[in-house]
mmCIF file of all heavy atoms in Angstrom:
data_model
loop_
_atom_site.group_PDB
_atom_site.id
_atom_site.type_symbol
_atom_site.label_atom_id
_atom_site.label_comp_id
_atom_site.label_asym_id
_atom_site.label_seq_id
_atom_site.Cartn_x
_atom_site.Cartn_y
_atom_site.Cartn_z
ATOM 1 N N PHE U 1 0.883 -1.193 0.001
ATOM 2 C CA PHE U 1 0.006 -0.029 -0.021
ATOM 3 C C PHE U 1 0.902 1.244 0.044
ATOM 4 O O PHE U 1 1.747 1.375 0.857
ATOM 5 C CB PHE U 1 -0.934 0.059 1.202
ATOM 6 C CG PHE U 1 -1.752 1.284 1.274
ATOM 7 C CD1 PHE U 1 -2.668 1.579 0.319
ATOM 8 C CD2 PHE U 1 -1.550 2.218 2.333
ATOM 9 C CE1 PHE U 1 -3.440 2.805 0.348
ATOM 10 C CE2 PHE U 1 -2.323 3.399 2.364
ATOM 11 C CZ PHE U 1 -3.217 3.660 1.394
ATOM 12 N N LEU U 2 0.652 2.111 -0.978
ATOM 13 C CA LEU U 2 1.369 3.322 -1.139
ATOM 14 C C LEU U 2 0.441 4.527 -1.177
ATOM 15 O O LEU U 2 -0.459 4.533 -2.061
ATOM 16 C CB LEU U 2 2.268 3.332 -2.367
ATOM 17 C CG LEU U 2 2.990 4.639 -2.820
ATOM 18 C CD1 LEU U 2 3.906 5.125 -1.719
ATOM 19 C CD2 LEU U 2 3.652 4.412 -4.126
ATOM 20 N N LEU U 3 0.624 5.461 -0.286
ATOM 21 C CA LEU U 3 -0.092 6.781 -0.276
ATOM 22 C C LEU U 3 0.706 7.790 -0.989
ATOM 23 O O LEU U 3 1.861 7.975 -0.619
ATOM 24 C CB LEU U 3 -0.538 7.236 1.077
ATOM 25 C CG LEU U 3 -1.074 8.557 1.251
ATOM 26 C CD1 LEU U 3 -2.480 8.678 0.592
ATOM 27 C CD2 LEU U 3 -1.170 9.010 2.696
ATOM 28 N N ILE U 4 0.073 8.519 -1.918
ATOM 29 C CA ILE U 4 0.763 9.621 -2.633
ATOM 30 C C ILE U 4 -0.168 10.867 -2.422
ATOM 31 O O ILE U 4 -1.304 10.866 -2.767
ATOM 32 C CB ILE U 4 0.938 9.345 -4.123
ATOM 33 C CG1 ILE U 4 1.727 8.098 -4.304
ATOM 34 C CG2 ILE U 4 1.601 10.527 -4.820
ATOM 35 C CD1 ILE U 4 1.852 7.656 -5.762
ATOM 36 N N HIS U 5 0.435 11.908 -1.799
ATOM 37 C CA HIS U 5 -0.437 13.096 -1.371
ATOM 38 C C HIS U 5 0.241 14.414 -1.770
ATOM 39 O O HIS U 5 1.057 14.962 -1.027
ATOM 40 C CB HIS U 5 -0.589 12.981 0.126
ATOM 41 C CG HIS U 5 -1.295 14.160 0.691
ATOM 42 N ND1 HIS U 5 -0.897 14.752 1.901
ATOM 43 C CD2 HIS U 5 -2.299 14.897 0.257
ATOM 44 C CE1 HIS U 5 -1.661 15.812 2.138
ATOM 45 N NE2 HIS U 5 -2.558 15.923 1.155
ATOM 46 N N PRO U 6 -0.117 14.926 -3.020
ATOM 47 C CA PRO U 6 0.419 16.229 -3.424
ATOM 48 C C PRO U 6 -0.417 17.398 -2.935
ATOM 49 O O PRO U 6 -1.579 17.294 -2.706
ATOM 50 C CB PRO U 6 0.325 16.087 -4.933
ATOM 51 C CG PRO U 6 -0.898 15.201 -5.173
ATOM 52 C CD PRO U 6 -0.921 14.227 -3.954
ATOM 53 N N MET U 7 0.279 18.515 -2.710
ATOM 54 C CA MET U 7 -0.384 19.692 -2.103
ATOM 55 C C MET U 7 -0.546 20.919 -2.950
ATOM 56 O O MET U 7 -1.217 21.850 -2.529
ATOM 57 C CB MET U 7 0.434 20.030 -0.829
ATOM 58 C CG MET U 7 -0.185 21.092 0.121
ATOM 59 S SD MET U 7 -1.681 20.551 0.904
ATOM 60 C CE MET U 7 -1.011 19.656 2.263
ATOM 61 N N ASN U 8 0.073 20.904 -4.118
ATOM 62 C CA ASN U 8 0.116 22.198 -4.892
ATOM 63 C C ASN U 8 -1.256 22.740 -5.359
ATOM 64 O O ASN U 8 -1.454 23.942 -5.378
ATOM 65 C CB ASN U 8 1.004 22.042 -6.131
ATOM 66 C CG ASN U 8 2.452 21.884 -5.811
ATOM 67 O OD1 ASN U 8 3.234 21.714 -6.740
ATOM 68 N ND2 ASN U 8 2.829 21.999 -4.576
ATOM 69 N N THR U 9 -2.180 21.844 -5.630
ATOM 70 C CA THR U 9 -3.554 22.306 -6.012
ATOM 71 C C THR U 9 -4.209 23.053 -4.886
ATOM 72 O O THR U 9 -4.809 24.148 -5.069
ATOM 73 C CB THR U 9 -4.395 21.153 -6.490
ATOM 74 O OG1 THR U 9 -3.766 20.592 -7.635
ATOM 75 C CG2 THR U 9 -5.751 21.631 -6.983
ATOM 76 N N ASP U 10 -4.197 22.513 -3.675
ATOM 77 C CA ASP U 10 -4.723 23.153 -2.494
ATOM 78 C C ASP U 10 -4.019 24.518 -2.269
ATOM 79 O O ASP U 10 -4.667 25.532 -1.966
ATOM 80 C CB ASP U 10 -4.575 22.227 -1.276
ATOM 81 C CG ASP U 10 -5.178 22.821 -0.040
ATOM 82 O OD1 ASP U 10 -6.412 22.876 0.058
ATOM 83 O OD2 ASP U 10 -4.423 23.273 0.897
ATOM 84 N N ASP U 11 -2.705 24.523 -2.331
ATOM 85 C CA ASP U 11 -1.945 25.717 -2.173
ATOM 86 C C ASP U 11 -2.359 26.842 -3.174
ATOM 87 O O ASP U 11 -2.569 27.934 -2.765
ATOM 88 C CB ASP U 11 -0.466 25.437 -2.377
ATOM 89 C CG ASP U 11 0.442 26.589 -1.988
ATOM 90 O OD1 ASP U 11 0.214 27.206 -0.926
ATOM 91 O OD2 ASP U 11 1.390 26.872 -2.757
ATOM 92 N N ALA U 12 -2.585 26.458 -4.408
ATOM 93 C CA ALA U 12 -2.971 27.431 -5.394
ATOM 94 C C ALA U 12 -4.402 27.912 -5.135
ATOM 95 O O ALA U 12 -4.759 29.078 -5.294
ATOM 96 C CB ALA U 12 -2.959 26.826 -6.809
ATOM 97 N N GLY U 13 -5.248 27.040 -4.613
ATOM 98 C CA GLY U 13 -6.635 27.408 -4.301
ATOM 99 C C GLY U 13 -6.677 28.393 -3.177
ATOM 100 O O GLY U 13 -7.429 29.387 -3.152
ATOM 101 N N HIS U 14 -5.876 28.217 -2.121
ATOM 102 C CA HIS U 14 -5.780 29.119 -1.009
ATOM 103 C C HIS U 14 -5.249 30.478 -1.480
ATOM 104 O O HIS U 14 -5.609 31.561 -0.853
ATOM 105 C CB HIS U 14 -5.012 28.563 0.143
ATOM 106 C CG HIS U 14 -5.679 27.520 0.912
ATOM 107 N ND1 HIS U 14 -6.828 27.832 1.631
ATOM 108 C CD2 HIS U 14 -5.450 26.206 1.050
ATOM 109 C CE1 HIS U 14 -7.266 26.703 2.231
ATOM 110 N NE2 HIS U 14 -6.439 25.689 1.922
ATOM 111 N N LYS U 15 -4.337 30.511 -2.365
ATOM 112 C CA LYS U 15 -3.719 31.764 -2.814
ATOM 113 C C LYS U 15 -4.589 32.504 -3.773
ATOM 114 O O LYS U 15 -4.684 33.775 -3.779
ATOM 115 C CB LYS U 15 -2.333 31.532 -3.427
ATOM 116 C CG LYS U 15 -1.328 31.041 -2.432
ATOM 117 C CD LYS U 15 -0.034 30.683 -3.130
ATOM 118 C CE LYS U 15 1.064 30.269 -2.069
ATOM 119 N NZ LYS U 15 2.258 29.766 -2.790
ATOM 120 N N PHE U 16 -5.342 31.754 -4.696
ATOM 121 C CA PHE U 16 -5.999 32.444 -5.807
ATOM 122 C C PHE U 16 -7.476 32.117 -5.963
ATOM 123 O O PHE U 16 -8.162 32.773 -6.716
ATOM 124 C CB PHE U 16 -5.274 32.062 -7.123
ATOM 125 C CG PHE U 16 -3.832 32.412 -7.074
ATOM 126 C CD1 PHE U 16 -2.842 31.393 -6.973
ATOM 127 C CD2 PHE U 16 -3.398 33.720 -7.266
ATOM 128 C CE1 PHE U 16 -1.469 31.723 -6.921
ATOM 129 C CE2 PHE U 16 -2.044 34.036 -7.208
ATOM 130 C CZ PHE U 16 -1.076 33.041 -7.065
ATOM 131 N N GLY U 17 -7.960 31.075 -5.243
ATOM 132 C CA GLY U 17 -9.373 30.760 -5.281
ATOM 133 C C GLY U 17 -9.856 29.777 -6.340
ATOM 134 O O GLY U 17 -9.112 29.492 -7.293
ATOM 135 N N LEU U 18 -11.102 29.297 -6.183
ATOM 136 C CA LEU U 18 -11.667 28.303 -7.116
ATOM 137 C C LEU U 18 -11.665 28.792 -8.539
ATOM 138 O O LEU U 18 -11.388 27.995 -9.416
ATOM 139 C CB LEU U 18 -13.084 28.013 -6.661
ATOM 140 C CG LEU U 18 -13.957 27.094 -7.575
ATOM 141 C CD1 LEU U 18 -13.364 25.657 -7.504
ATOM 142 C CD2 LEU U 18 -15.376 27.097 -7.119
ATOM 143 N N ASP U 19 -11.964 30.001 -8.815
ATOM 144 C CA ASP U 19 -12.170 30.463 -10.182
ATOM 145 C C ASP U 19 -10.904 30.967 -10.836
ATOM 146 O O ASP U 19 -11.007 31.586 -11.863
ATOM 147 C CB ASP U 19 -13.263 31.560 -10.211
ATOM 148 C CG ASP U 19 -14.645 31.062 -9.934
ATOM 149 O OD1 ASP U 19 -14.944 29.858 -10.295
ATOM 150 O OD2 ASP U 19 -15.471 31.770 -9.358
ATOM 151 N N SER U 20 -9.751 30.661 -10.284
ATOM 152 C CA SER U 20 -8.535 31.204 -10.807
ATOM 153 C C SER U 20 -7.844 30.298 -11.811
ATOM 154 O O SER U 20 -7.975 29.071 -11.730
ATOM 155 C CB SER U 20 -7.556 31.504 -9.647
ATOM 156 O OG SER U 20 -7.140 30.263 -9.105
ATOM 157 N N ARG U 21 -7.127 30.887 -12.730
ATOM 158 C CA ARG U 21 -6.403 30.104 -13.663
ATOM 159 C C ARG U 21 -5.221 29.326 -12.963
ATOM 160 O O ARG U 21 -4.852 28.228 -13.381
ATOM 161 C CB ARG U 21 -5.809 30.953 -14.826
ATOM 162 C CG ARG U 21 -4.713 31.938 -14.359
ATOM 163 C CD ARG U 21 -4.213 32.761 -15.539
ATOM 164 N NE ARG U 21 -3.135 33.618 -15.238
ATOM 165 C CZ ARG U 21 -3.235 34.868 -14.627
ATOM 166 N NH1 ARG U 21 -4.463 35.326 -14.365
ATOM 167 N NH2 ARG U 21 -2.137 35.580 -14.314
ATOM 168 N N GLN U 22 -4.724 29.906 -11.876
ATOM 169 C CA GLN U 22 -3.630 29.248 -11.134
ATOM 170 C C GLN U 22 -4.072 27.977 -10.529
ATOM 171 O O GLN U 22 -3.366 26.978 -10.573
ATOM 172 C CB GLN U 22 -3.120 30.194 -10.058
ATOM 173 C CG GLN U 22 -2.396 31.399 -10.598
ATOM 174 C CD GLN U 22 -3.264 32.643 -10.759
ATOM 175 O OE1 GLN U 22 -4.534 32.477 -10.803
ATOM 176 N NE2 GLN U 22 -2.718 33.858 -10.837
ATOM 177 N N TYR U 23 -5.319 27.966 -9.963
ATOM 178 C CA TYR U 23 -5.862 26.760 -9.346
ATOM 179 C C TYR U 23 -6.113 25.713 -10.422
ATOM 180 O O TYR U 23 -5.715 24.511 -10.243
ATOM 181 C CB TYR U 23 -7.169 27.123 -8.575
ATOM 182 C CG TYR U 23 -7.827 25.962 -7.938
ATOM 183 C CD1 TYR U 23 -7.282 25.263 -6.888
ATOM 184 C CD2 TYR U 23 -9.137 25.651 -8.365
ATOM 185 C CE1 TYR U 23 -7.952 24.211 -6.271
ATOM 186 C CE2 TYR U 23 -9.858 24.609 -7.730
ATOM 187 C CZ TYR U 23 -9.247 23.859 -6.736
ATOM 188 O OH TYR U 23 -9.950 22.909 -6.131
ATOM 189 N N ARG U 24 -6.811 26.060 -11.482
ATOM 190 C CA ARG U 24 -7.101 25.167 -12.586
ATOM 191 C C ARG U 24 -5.792 24.577 -13.190
ATOM 192 O O ARG U 24 -5.655 23.417 -13.480
ATOM 193 C CB ARG U 24 -7.994 25.771 -13.597
ATOM 194 C CG ARG U 24 -9.418 26.068 -13.084
ATOM 195 C CD ARG U 24 -10.300 26.548 -14.248
ATOM 196 N NE ARG U 24 -9.908 27.797 -14.811
ATOM 197 C CZ ARG U 24 -10.296 28.990 -14.356
ATOM 198 N NH1 ARG U 24 -11.208 29.054 -13.366
ATOM 199 N NH2 ARG U 24 -9.913 30.053 -14.914
ATOM 200 N N ASN U 25 -4.853 25.480 -13.423
ATOM 201 C CA ASN U 25 -3.633 25.040 -14.048
ATOM 202 C C ASN U 25 -2.773 24.140 -13.161
ATOM 203 O O ASN U 25 -2.048 23.243 -13.645
ATOM 204 C CB ASN U 25 -2.753 26.212 -14.575
ATOM 205 C CG ASN U 25 -3.369 26.843 -15.780
ATOM 206 O OD1 ASN U 25 -4.078 26.168 -16.572
ATOM 207 N ND2 ASN U 25 -3.044 28.154 -15.985
ATOM 208 N N SER U 26 -2.826 24.316 -11.901
ATOM 209 C CA SER U 26 -2.149 23.420 -10.962
ATOM 210 C C SER U 26 -2.735 21.958 -11.048
ATOM 211 O O SER U 26 -1.995 20.984 -11.133
ATOM 212 C CB SER U 26 -2.289 23.917 -9.511
ATOM 213 O OG SER U 26 -1.623 23.043 -8.663
ATOM 214 N N ALA U 27 -4.046 21.890 -11.208
ATOM 215 C CA ALA U 27 -4.689 20.601 -11.325
ATOM 216 C C ALA U 27 -4.266 19.975 -12.752
ATOM 217 O O ALA U 27 -4.002 18.854 -12.798
ATOM 218 C CB ALA U 27 -6.148 20.753 -11.275
ATOM 219 N N ARG U 28 -4.249 20.801 -13.728
ATOM 220 C CA ARG U 28 -3.840 20.341 -15.088
ATOM 221 C C ARG U 28 -2.405 19.825 -15.027
ATOM 222 O O ARG U 28 -2.128 18.766 -15.637
ATOM 223 C CB ARG U 28 -4.011 21.426 -16.114
ATOM 224 C CG ARG U 28 -5.453 21.847 -16.380
ATOM 225 C CD ARG U 28 -5.451 22.983 -17.444
ATOM 226 N NE ARG U 28 -6.771 23.345 -17.808
ATOM 227 C CZ ARG U 28 -7.358 24.520 -17.517
ATOM 228 N NH1 ARG U 28 -6.702 25.467 -16.824
ATOM 229 N NH2 ARG U 28 -8.631 24.778 -17.846
ATOM 230 N N ARG U 29 -1.498 20.504 -14.346
ATOM 231 C CA ARG U 29 -0.138 20.107 -14.314
ATOM 232 C C ARG U 29 0.000 18.714 -13.628
ATOM 233 O O ARG U 29 0.702 17.877 -14.130
ATOM 234 C CB ARG U 29 0.733 21.094 -13.568
ATOM 235 C CG ARG U 29 1.089 22.346 -14.452
ATOM 236 C CD ARG U 29 2.180 23.187 -13.770
ATOM 237 N NE ARG U 29 1.694 23.761 -12.523
ATOM 238 C CZ ARG U 29 1.056 24.976 -12.389
ATOM 239 N NH1 ARG U 29 0.833 25.645 -13.512
ATOM 240 N NH2 ARG U 29 0.719 25.425 -11.219
ATOM 241 N N PHE U 30 -0.727 18.528 -12.540
ATOM 242 C CA PHE U 30 -0.629 17.217 -11.876
ATOM 243 C C PHE U 30 -1.203 16.112 -12.741
ATOM 244 O O PHE U 30 -0.636 14.983 -12.767
ATOM 245 C CB PHE U 30 -1.285 17.226 -10.453
ATOM 246 C CG PHE U 30 -1.037 16.018 -9.751
ATOM 247 C CD1 PHE U 30 0.192 15.890 -9.106
ATOM 248 C CD2 PHE U 30 -1.943 14.986 -9.631
ATOM 249 C CE1 PHE U 30 0.471 14.691 -8.337
ATOM 250 C CE2 PHE U 30 -1.665 13.848 -8.944
ATOM 251 C CZ PHE U 30 -0.472 13.642 -8.315
ATOM 252 N N ASP U 31 -2.246 16.422 -13.397
ATOM 253 C CA ASP U 31 -2.820 15.441 -14.313
ATOM 254 C C ASP U 31 -1.835 14.961 -15.348
ATOM 255 O O ASP U 31 -1.743 13.745 -15.646
ATOM 256 C CB ASP U 31 -4.089 16.072 -14.944
ATOM 257 C CG ASP U 31 -4.706 15.250 -16.053
ATOM 258 O OD1 ASP U 31 -5.242 14.156 -15.741
ATOM 259 O OD2 ASP U 31 -4.694 15.608 -17.212
ATOM 260 N N LEU U 32 -1.163 15.863 -15.965
ATOM 261 C CA LEU U 32 -0.159 15.523 -16.925
ATOM 262 C C LEU U 32 1.079 14.837 -16.368
ATOM 263 O O LEU U 32 1.696 13.984 -16.999
ATOM 264 C CB LEU U 32 0.228 16.731 -17.771
ATOM 265 C CG LEU U 32 -0.920 17.384 -18.610
ATOM 266 C CD1 LEU U 32 -0.504 18.660 -19.304
ATOM 267 C CD2 LEU U 32 -1.455 16.324 -19.601
ATOM 268 N N LEU U 33 1.430 15.188 -15.132
ATOM 269 C CA LEU U 33 2.483 14.490 -14.424
ATOM 270 C C LEU U 33 2.121 13.023 -14.224
ATOM 271 O O LEU U 33 2.942 12.138 -14.321
ATOM 272 C CB LEU U 33 2.790 15.126 -13.136
ATOM 273 C CG LEU U 33 3.544 16.504 -13.113
ATOM 274 C CD1 LEU U 33 3.513 17.098 -11.709
ATOM 275 C CD2 LEU U 33 4.982 16.303 -13.633
ATOM 276 N N LEU U 34 0.857 12.768 -13.884
ATOM 277 C CA LEU U 34 0.378 11.359 -13.696
ATOM 278 C C LEU U 34 0.579 10.538 -14.895
ATOM 279 O O LEU U 34 0.719 9.323 -14.832
ATOM 280 C CB LEU U 34 -1.099 11.370 -13.311
ATOM 281 C CG LEU U 34 -1.408 11.536 -11.847
ATOM 282 C CD1 LEU U 34 -2.928 11.491 -11.634
ATOM 283 C CD2 LEU U 34 -0.815 10.350 -10.981
ATOM 284 N N ALA U 35 0.515 11.184 -16.134
ATOM 285 C CA ALA U 35 0.655 10.458 -17.363
ATOM 286 C C ALA U 35 2.002 9.807 -17.409
ATOM 287 O O ALA U 35 2.200 8.819 -18.231
ATOM 288 C CB ALA U 35 0.468 11.329 -18.546
ATOM 289 N N ASP U 36 3.023 10.255 -16.640
ATOM 290 C CA ASP U 36 4.340 9.655 -16.685
ATOM 291 C C ASP U 36 4.413 8.419 -15.723
ATOM 292 O O ASP U 36 5.352 7.622 -15.860
ATOM 293 C CB ASP U 36 5.381 10.633 -16.169
ATOM 294 C CG ASP U 36 5.670 11.782 -17.193
ATOM 295 O OD1 ASP U 36 5.505 11.508 -18.449
ATOM 296 O OD2 ASP U 36 5.941 12.877 -16.822
ATOM 297 N N TYR U 37 3.430 8.276 -14.896
ATOM 298 C CA TYR U 37 3.528 7.253 -13.860
ATOM 299 C C TYR U 37 2.365 6.186 -13.904
ATOM 300 O O TYR U 37 2.567 4.972 -13.722
ATOM 301 C CB TYR U 37 3.497 7.865 -12.491
ATOM 302 C CG TYR U 37 4.685 8.685 -12.199
ATOM 303 C CD1 TYR U 37 4.654 10.106 -12.467
ATOM 304 C CD2 TYR U 37 5.852 8.176 -11.668
ATOM 305 C CE1 TYR U 37 5.796 10.904 -12.224
ATOM 306 C CE2 TYR U 37 6.994 8.975 -11.399
ATOM 307 C CZ TYR U 37 6.859 10.328 -11.665
ATOM 308 O OH TYR U 37 8.033 11.111 -11.433
ATOM 309 N N LEU U 38 1.120 6.685 -14.148
ATOM 310 C CA LEU U 38 -0.020 5.766 -14.051
ATOM 311 C C LEU U 38 0.085 4.553 -15.043
ATOM 312 O O LEU U 38 -0.204 3.427 -14.610
ATOM 313 C CB LEU U 38 -1.313 6.542 -14.359
ATOM 314 C CG LEU U 38 -2.639 5.823 -14.134
ATOM 315 C CD1 LEU U 38 -2.751 5.102 -12.752
ATOM 316 C CD2 LEU U 38 -3.818 6.722 -14.396
ATOM 317 N N PRO U 39 0.440 4.726 -16.279
ATOM 318 C CA PRO U 39 0.656 3.569 -17.123
ATOM 319 C C PRO U 39 1.551 2.492 -16.610
ATOM 320 O O PRO U 39 1.287 1.300 -16.679
ATOM 321 C CB PRO U 39 1.071 4.118 -18.483
ATOM 322 C CG PRO U 39 0.619 5.547 -18.445
ATOM 323 C CD PRO U 39 0.786 6.008 -17.027
#
C-alpha cells in the first residue's frame, strides 16, 4: 500500500481561489504528471 499526497492544487486554491487560472492550471499540471506514472 502506497499513499501519494500532493499539495500544490490546494496551495494554489488558497492563494488564488476556485475560479482562478492558477488553481485550474495546478490541477492540469498534476494530471499531466500522472501520465508519466499511471501507465
Side-chain angles (χ1 to χ4, degrees):
F1 176 65
L2 170 62
L3 170 67
I4 303 175
H5 173 222
M7 188 65 84
N8 289 176
T9 299
D10 183 73
D11 187 46
H14 283 297
K15 290 174 178 174
F16 304 104
L18 174 70
D19 289 329
S20 67
R21 68 181 186 276
Q22 292 92 341
Y23 178 66
R24 291 189 294 270
N25 284 336
S26 179
R28 291 181 177 112
R29 281 192 295 272
F30 188 78
D31 173 67
L32 294 178
L33 287 170
L34 272 178
D36 291 330
Y37 296 92
L38 184 56

